[in-house]
Amino acid sequence: MPTPPLAGGTAGPAALRPLIDTVLTALHDGAALRDGPLPAGGPDAVTPRTRTATHPLIPDHGTGAHHALRSLVTALTEGAADPAHPHCAAHLHTPPLALAAAADLAASALNPSMDSWDQAPAATALEADLTTALAAEIYPHTPSPDALITTGGTEANQLALLLARERHGPVQTVCATTTHHSVARAAWLLGLPEPVAVPAPDGTMDLTALDEALTTLHRPLLVVATAGTTDTGAIDPLDAIADLCTTHGAELHIDAAYGGPLLFSPTHRTLLHGLSRAHSVTLDLHKLGWQPASAGLFAVPERHHLSPLQHHAPYLNADDDTEAGLPDLLGRSLRTTRRPDALKIAVTLQALGRTGLADLIDRTLTAAHHLADLITKTPTLDLYDRPTISTVLFRPTGADDHTVATLRRTLLHRGHAVLGRAHAADRLWLKATLLNPHTTPQDLQALIDLVTATTADLARTTTPTTLHPHPTPRTEGDTPR
């Protein structure tokens, strides 16, 4: 077998072109074989089928590039949960834009490593400009805001707690019961006290309970607020929380991994009022920014807040190199080797502009409200609440939690729909997280029809008291909160 060609250099594109064609064909063929939002049959069907199609993974003699690409990409696509399908709406799992995926191909082919300038000369400049520009969107009134590219909200939230610890010592984190699990995990990882969780009875942080906690707890304190919870998409009262932090001398971190991109929408950015008052902010563009994962961001109002992350490794940032003007990149991440994720983000922002990105956001949120309208008009379904961003919770009227869970798994097993699950108001709900700006009203009606038809199927095989233990009269627009 000849030595395989490389992706880079002047010869790389010619080597890539036929391989990409094979990949694109395999993506098409796999999606056609799946013919839905995910493969039918559950793990018992998908796992053996995938293993059969991809075996052996390490043969004695290679099968060749085109055969390997065709077989593995087809198998992976056939067995994928495809976020581009309008009925794949369980998680904050976005369908990436084609232009962002194309940019990601270029990043993979060039393979800059963002831990030293001599591995990524142009990518270093691009990332610096992009992070400064995005930080200025979050902190428009500070002279030198900055941001770091992260793998997502988990890493960004960890950075927030780490930097608070470096400033103040063992900080006590205070958050709501709806705060992302990564905050408690970061506290554990960093050896900090377990976070104090205050109630969120309506899905957002209770201000009275927060005030009481900040009054009684010992300083230093770090409050973590959320702009877009994973369960309901709720946004904490950011301005009021910032006021309490100021009163009690606490710092504020806002996890806006989900809701942060609302900044680009003139229609919806008011939902984030108070965001710029945070000491740090998490934002994910692989959620409501339509980027391939990963595309996270950690922003601070002043560049010097990142100084504790400085790190020295002579083979990467020797003092004399830095003094001679080579940028020092090790303080730009907790990771060493990392991809140039700034490229796909920059391509997307430049291609779409503010108005294009705002249109995607507005279309997506409009679709969520349309779904909520359809649910309120369906007498056999209950809506939890109007969506704040693009998350819609609903459930069959009168169903118990076991039935809701069974309904979700049945839709998964049949390959009909990917819906999430969330607990709110002491009940289990189906969760539709809409992130596909191409979703139509017809797609949403079809989803409702699938849910109601599957509910009826389950009712035929379940005792009536299980599915409808306490039937409640309901009028259009009622919500059971």
Side-chain angles (χ1 to χ4, degrees), residues 39-360:
D44 290 343
V46 175
T47 300
R49 182 169 64 241
T50 304
R51 286 175 175 163
T52 298
T54 60
H55 182 79
L57 288 176
I58 309 178
D60 290 334
H61 302 285
T63 60
H66 290 278
H67 181 277
L69 282 169
R70 186 165 51 249
S71 60
L72 270 73
V73 173
T74 300
L76 194 68
T77 307
E78 182 184 2
D82 183 3
H85 193 288
H87 296 164
C88 186
H91 304 288
L92 289 163
H93 178 198
T94 195
L97 297 172
L99 67 93
D104 224 17
L105 169 64
S108 294
L110 293 169
N111 205 31
S113 183
M114 304 301 299
D115 51 308
S116 66
W117 183 89
D118 58 357
Q119 299 176 84
T124 297
L126 179 64
E127 181 179 275
D129 289 350
L130 178 73
T131 51
T132 299
L134 288 173
E137 296 291 328
I138 298 169
Y139 296 107
H141 305 302
T142 58
S144 57
D146 201 0
L148 306 178
I149 301 290
T150 71
T151 54
T154 294
E155 182 185 348
N157 289 339
Q158 180 182 330
L159 282 168
L161 270 65
L162 171 64
L163 290 176
R165 186 192 71 179
E166 292 305 295
R167 286 192 295 271
H168 304 295
V171 294
Q172 173 65 67
T173 305
V174 184
C175 58
T177 53
T178 51
T179 300
H180 194 263
H181 63 84
S182 62
V183 172
R185 201 174 192 187
W188 164 76
L189 184 66
L190 295 168
L192 296 174
E194 182 178 348
V196 172
V198 300
D202 67 349
T204 61
M205 187 182 290
D206 183 273
L207 294 174
T208 300
L210 176 62
D211 189 20
E212 293 173 355
L214 295 180
T215 300
T216 58
L217 290 169
H218 295 294
R219 291 166 179 74
L221 301 171
L222 175 68
V223 175
V224 178
T226 306
T229 61
T230 53
D231 274 353
T232 68
I235 296 176
D236 285 333
L238 305 180
D239 235 1
I241 291 171
D243 287 342
L244 287 174
C245 289
T246 300
T247 298
H248 291 282
E251 290 196 352
L252 173 63
H253 170 68
I254 297 178
D255 179 357
Y258 180 10
L262 296 175
L263 283 171
F264 289 97
S265 167
T267 304
H268 298 291
R269 68 163 60 108
T270 54
L271 292 169
L272 298 178
H273 195 265
L275 186 72
S276 63
R277 299 178 65 185
H279 290 81
S280 56
V281 171
T282 289
L283 185 149
D284 272 1
L285 289 168
H286 57 247
K287 292 183 172 68
L288 203 62
W290 296 280
Q291 298 299 295
S294 57
L297 200 80
F298 173 75
V300 292
E302 297 293 343
R303 183 168 292 116
H304 67 83
H305 290 182
L306 300 174
S307 297
L309 299 178
Q310 292 300 318
H311 183 66
H312 189 61
Y315 76 103
L316 293 173
N317 60 350
D319 289 339
D320 57 331
D321 279 348
T322 302
E323 292 167 2
L326 295 184
D328 179 357
L329 304 186
L330 280 186
R332 305 294 298 174
S333 178
L334 294 177
R335 294 167 286 151
T336 304
T337 301
R338 58 188 180 90
R339 301 181 76 250
D341 290 317
L343 175 60
K344 62 196 175 193
I345 301 172
V347 166
T348 300
L349 294 175
Q350 190 171 96
L352 299 182
R354 295 178 186 277
T355 57
L357 191 56
D359 181 64
L360 290 179

Side-chain angles (χ1 to χ4, degrees), residues 320 390 409:
D320 57 331
S390 66
R409 287 192 294 269

Side-chain angles (χ1 to χ4, degrees), residues 454-480:
T454 307
T455 302
D457 285 348
L458 292 176
R460 284 190 285 272
T461 59
T462 310
T463 59
T465 54
T466 301
L467 189 60
H468 300 287
H470 303 293
T472 303
R474 183 171 172 275
T475 59
E476 184 176 320
D478 282 350
T479 58

